[in-house]
Amino acid sequence: MSEEAQLVDLGEKYLAEVEVSEKSSAVIAVQLLIQYLRQISSSAATLSEVFKLLDNAVTRLKEVVAYSDRCLDSGCQIFLRHVTRLGGSLPVDELSLEQIVQQLLSLGEQYLHKIERSRLDIAQYASGVLRKRWRVLTHGRSRAVLAALVESKARRLTVLVTSSGGDGAAERMVGDLRVAGVSADLIDHAAVGFHLENIDAVCVGAESVCQSGGVINRVGTLSIALCAKLYGTPLYVLAESYKFTQLFPLSNSDIPLPPPQRRRGHSNTGAVEDVIASDGVGRSIASEGIATHPCVDYTEPNLITYVVSDLGILTPETVCEQLLRLYE
């Protein structure tokens, strides 16, 4: 199979797996990159060619998604740095290329094992901050937050899940928690201020943890963080270390936004256009292009109590140290 055919196959496998798997895009990508490394081990002539082919594979994975996937991007970059850094320390003069590739595969498998258990590690660290009978508020459906709340269900937590975006994520989160035996209920995002005076902690996930110590997450996270700060409620961000990114935004205007999550509909003239809302009586309200409709926002580090990751419980200030180690 030619290199181009292998890359096409890689992209198709990635899209198929992401569609059905509960694994994150980064974990799926690393699994496929390790498989790809096995495939190219017999065709590459030099170690530099192996690394170049891996770079091409990462580029291909980024090209097949319809928008910029920050988790995929950071996960692949950390994987490449992990493999190339440790691979560069091997005694290449004493080993054949085949032996070197086997060492790289072993390093890749070790990294994959680490990130596959990251949510379990996060859940165990989170149990150190969640107290018995606490009322916890969370936003949407984060798989890291879900794992942590289920891990701590013996503490008889009560969880409120905010609903926003209309994608059913919050409803799924409530259902998953109830099936696992955790008391959970759904609230409207607009009612966060009303409920926060009775909340002991806010736990949210993240799409990216930035070098600044802030996080990019589902839109509405910033609003919740601001309310939590006003009430003096701790805000814990639960996120896997492969989501640590070198982005350093200072405000929401600095973050790269994926395409807005709009619904397609018909205007009163019958033309198909972007629909952002309904007027309540069945008529669609189309965007006039005045406002931005983001699906993520940036929460500044001063609003965050701790970032709970598989690396431990970190203050926003220490996130930068850990991130530099990951990307060194």
Side-chain angles (χ1 to χ4, degrees), residues 219-268:
V219 70
T221 303
L222 173 60
S223 304
I224 293 172
L226 289 167
C227 286
K229 187 75 169 180
L230 181 65
Y231 278 98
T233 305
L235 173 70
Y236 305 125
V237 176
L238 279 57
E240 302 89 336
S241 60
Y242 54 75
K243 292 183 178 179
F244 284 32
T245 175
Q246 293 177 300
L247 288 173
F248 202 114
L250 299 177
S251 69
N252 275 280
S253 59
D254 295 327
I255 64 173
L257 291 175
Q261 301 297 307
R262 293 179 178 173
R263 300 184 297 276
R264 298 290 287 176
H266 292 269
S267 69
N268 291 334

Side-chain angles (χ1 to χ4, degrees), residues 25 119 148 158 299:
S25 56
R119 288 178 193 156
T158 300
T299 300

Side-chain angles (χ1 to χ4, degrees), residues 262-266 272-275 284:
R262 293 179 178 173
R263 300 184 297 276
R264 298 290 287 176
H266 292 269
V272 177
E273 55 190 19
D274 284 328
V275 174
S284 298

Side-chain angles (χ1 to χ4, degrees), residues 42 56 68 104 133 147 169 199 224 239 246-247 250 258 295 308 320:
S42 58
N56 292 343
S68 177
L104 294 180
R133 297 183 183 277
I199 293 296
I224 293 172
Q246 293 177 300
L247 288 173
L250 299 177
C295 56
V308 183
C320 184

Side-chain angles (χ1 to χ4, degrees), residues 55-318:
D55 275 329
N56 292 343
V58 169
T59 300
R60 176 60 184 171
L61 290 175
K62 294 178 184 178
E63 289 174 347
V64 298
V65 295
Y67 59 92
S68 177
D69 186 331
R70 280 172 287 271
C71 176
L72 170 66
D73 183 55
S74 59
C76 287
Q77 289 304 318
I78 294 171
F79 170 74
L80 285 179
R81 287 178 182 267
H82 178 79
V83 170
T84 56
R85 182 180 72 248
L86 297 181
S89 65
L90 295 173
V92 293
D93 295 335
E94 303 173 15
L95 301 173
S96 67
L97 181 60
E98 182 180 354
Q99 290 173 317
I100 293 172
V101 171
Q102 288 303 314
Q103 292 279 359
L104 294 180
L105 285 169
S106 177
L107 293 171
E109 293 284 1
Q110 291 173 21
Y111 177 70
L112 176 61
H113 176 71
K114 179 181 182 300
I115 64 175
E116 281 182 325
R117 60 167 287 120
S118 57
R119 288 178 193 156
L120 176 60
D121 292 337
I122 289 170
Q124 292 173 343
Y125 282 122
S127 66
V129 296
L130 297 174
R131 300 289 180 259
K132 191 174 182 179
R133 297 183 183 277
W134 263 15
R135 291 173 60 85
V136 177
L137 184 140
T138 189
H139 185 46
R141 184 177 184 270
S142 160
R143 288 169 290 196
V145 173
L146 175 61
L149 294 175
V150 172
E151 176 73 14
S152 297
K153 68 178 180 179
R155 300 184 180 185
R156 306 173 87 174
L157 305 174
T158 300
V159 182
L160 297 183
V161 185
T162 60
S163 176
S164 68
D167 59 358
E171 290 81 357
R172 287 179 61 200
M173 183 69 163
V174 170
D176 291 340
L177 287 168
R178 288 177 177 176
V179 167
V182 179
S183 176
D185 216 341
L186 192 69
I187 65 169
D188 191 275
H189 183 262
V192 165
F194 176 86
H195 288 283
L196 258 175
E197 64 182 37
N198 297 313
I199 293 296
D200 298 296
V202 176
C203 294
V204 297
E207 290 196 9
S208 292
V209 178
C210 302
Q211 192 167 348
S212 59
V215 299
I216 298 171
N217 194 42
R218 168 185 282 263
V219 70
T221 303
L222 173 60
S223 304
I224 293 172
L226 289 167
C227 286
K229 187 75 169 180
L230 181 65
Y231 278 98
T233 305
L235 173 70
Y236 305 125
V237 176
L238 279 57
E240 302 89 336
S241 60
Y242 54 75
K243 292 183 178 179
F244 284 32
T245 175
Q246 293 177 300
L247 288 173
F248 202 114
L250 299 177
S251 69
N252 275 280
S253 59
D254 295 327
I255 64 173
L257 291 175
Q261 301 297 307
R262 293 179 178 173
R263 300 184 297 276
R264 298 290 287 176
H266 292 269
S267 69
N268 291 334
T269 63
V272 177
E273 55 190 19
D274 284 328
V275 174
I276 60 170
S278 169
D279 64 0
V281 291
R283 292 175 300 186
S284 298
I285 300 174
S287 172
E288 293 187 349
I290 300 171
T292 301
H293 305 285
C295 56
V296 296
D297 58 27
Y298 172 66
T299 300
E300 299 177 4
N302 63 300
L303 300 174
I304 298 167
T305 307
Y306 291 122
V307 175
V308 183
S309 83
D310 47 297
L311 302 176
I313 300 175
L314 311 173
T315 62
E317 293 78 15
T318 57

